[in-house]
Amino acid sequence: MSGFFEELQRRKVYRVAAAYIVAAGFLIQMASAAFPAWELPNWSLRLVIALLLIGFPIALILAWAYDITAQGIQITPTTGAHRRRNLILLVATAVIISALAGFFLLPRAVWHKVDKSVAVLPFQNLSSDPENAYFADGIQAEVLTRLAKIADLKVISRASTQQYQSEPGNLSEIAKQLGVANILEGSVQKAGNQVRVNVHLVNVRTGSQLWADTYDRKLSDIFAVESEIKE
């Protein structure tokens, strides 16, 4: 085994491994910070980690086979016995390290500070007249406008939530796809000149309802209702 470790040092595999680990850690930290701002799903971070883990054995094999010199990239001279055995040991060691790192990293690859995050789902129009849907859309737009002004709060854009109907069957799955901890949903119902708006905020982690309210107003006060809810 001493010959194997001497070969690693001679071929500068240790140096490449250390540089790769530092660079991979930096990329993961950057992705963890940037991906939520770009509203990318949680699996995108896991994909980055998986690619970096796969690349680790490849980087070590390339470091074993090639060397960077003043004359450019050259094949590392082969010396000593057990060359095939040493290469197999290198590949096996690199794969084991990547597998262990993946075991600890992939389950924990979720956005940080997701507690301060919310997705406002489209409000459901409970009226028989489909033309009243514009009011439900207006409520959602007003709430999003106000929430977006909170600096420390991650708010999912309307374009990302339009695919989900109000009162969906699985809030946890939607929250996981959007990378949020809280979901705001509601409904709008019109009868004659009266409008009723129901709103509730749910923490999908605990399943608890953080806040809920009902607003009964005349249709003539439509803009006042929108302003009151977003407060």
Side-chain angles (χ1 to χ4, degrees), residues 160-182:
S160 299
T161 60
Q162 284 302 100
Q163 58 181 311
Y164 304 105
Q165 295 180 349
S166 185
E167 297 185 2
N170 193 336
L171 288 180
S172 298
E173 183 61 28
I174 292 177
K176 183 178 180 181
Q177 293 173 6
L178 296 175
V180 297
N182 306 290

Side-chain angles (χ1 to χ4, degrees), residues 200-218:
H200 51 276
L201 180 66
V202 179
N203 184 296
V204 293
R205 285 184 171 181
T206 62
S208 60
Q209 187 166 273
L210 302 178
W211 169 80
D213 210 338
T214 299
Y215 301 87
D216 291 307
R217 298 291 187 275
K218 291 183 179 181

Side-chain angles (χ1 to χ4, degrees), residues 23-99:
F26 176 76
L27 290 175
I28 292 173
Q29 290 294 327
M30 291 293 293
S32 299
F35 284 13
W38 297 339
E39 298 183 3
L40 297 179
N42 277 320
W43 61 260
S44 59
L45 177 60
R46 296 189 180 96
L47 177 62
V48 170
I49 295 175
L51 292 175
L52 290 172
L53 293 174
I54 294 172
F56 183 69
I58 297 175
L60 296 194
I61 293 172
L62 292 176
W64 178 276
Y66 298 96
D67 192 13
I68 299 178
T69 65
Q71 290 74 35
I73 300 176
Q74 298 181 350
I75 297 177
T76 304
T78 302
T79 61
H82 307 296
R83 293 189 295 271
R84 179 175 296 180
R85 183 205 67 181
N86 290 340
L87 181 58
I88 293 174
L89 283 175
L90 173 68
V91 174
T93 301
V95 170
I96 291 173
I97 293 174
S98 291

